[in-house]
Amino acid sequence: LRALPGVESATLALNVPLGSSNQGAKVYREPTVPTEEVLQAFYNVVDPAYFQTMKIALTQGRTFTLGDNEAAPRVAVVNEALASHLWPGEDPIGKQFSFKGAQGPYVQVVGVTGTGKYVFIGEDGQNFFYVPASQNFTSAKILQIRTSLPPEAIRKNVEQQIHALEADL
């Protein structure tokens, strides 16, 4: 799909911003830091092209790469709201948190984005993080395409590519 004329970028993710189903989780600070407060955060499972496709800029660190796979240390990108709640006044890069439970597994923060709108357009800043799809398998994925053309102009080509992979989709 990325090679189709008019496609600037394409990505797969569990959710779309302001979509009808968003994932939430309890977030636990690294095990060496005692905490009385457990935070709630929304999150998305994304591939490395997500930030480029959705034009989400980093304020610190890096996004995901193909090297962030099952064999690599588990990583995450957090937004500024979550970073300021978990590590106020500290550099979040290299810090760890878990969204699976207090016993882990823990993920290491490799990047920070600004705080955006995730669930409702009128929301206050929400805690949010991203994890790479290659480390967090889910069969549910939504295709998101950035194009320089009207979407109707590439629809047929996109459908043909999808049907070439799986005729029943």
Side-chain angles (χ1 to χ4, degrees):
L1 294 173
R2 292 177 178 135
L4 289 175
V7 172
E8 295 174 359
S9 184
T11 189
L12 291 170
L14 179 59
N15 297 307
V16 295
L18 306 175
S20 60
S21 71
N22 288 286
Q23 304 300 312
K26 291 180 180 178
V27 176
Y28 301 85
R29 287 171 37 149
E30 46 216 311
T32 58
V33 179
T35 182
E36 296 171 7
E37 178 184 15
V38 176
L39 294 174
Q40 282 288 133
F42 289 104
Y43 72 95
N44 202 351
V45 180
V46 303
D47 76 16
Y50 184 81
F51 298 94
Q52 173 193 356
T53 302
M54 303 307 287
K55 295 198 181 240
I56 298 172
L58 288 180
T59 59
Q60 279 185 265
R62 68 172 177 88
T63 60
F64 304 132
T65 69
L66 295 176
D68 294 320
N69 56 39
E70 288 180 354
R74 298 171 82 64
V75 295
V77 171
V78 299
N79 74 356
E80 290 174 338
L82 183 57
S84 69
H85 283 117
L86 288 176
W87 308 285
E90 298 179 45
D91 182 354
I93 302 298
K95 302 286 191 196
Q96 295 184 16
F97 71 93
S98 173
F99 62 102
K100 301 286 187 177
Q103 302 307 312
Y106 281 77
V107 297
Q108 183 177 52
V109 176
V110 295
V112 180
T113 68
T115 300
K117 304 291 183 181
Y118 308 101
V119 182
F120 303 106
I121 196 73
E123 73 189 26
D124 292 331
Q126 298 279 346
N127 295 323
F128 200 91
F129 65 94
Y130 306 88
V131 291
S134 57
Q135 294 181 344
N136 301 273
F137 176 77
T138 176
S139 60
K141 292 187 171 97
I142 298 172
L143 174 64
Q144 296 162 71
I145 298 173
R146 179 168 296 283
T147 178
S148 57
L149 303 173
E152 307 81 43
I154 65 165
R155 183 178 142 236
K156 198 170 245 2
N157 285 340
V158 169
E159 288 177 355
Q160 287 173 345
Q161 293 298 314
I162 292 170
H163 291 151
L165 294 172
E166 179 56 57
D168 292 333
L169 289 178

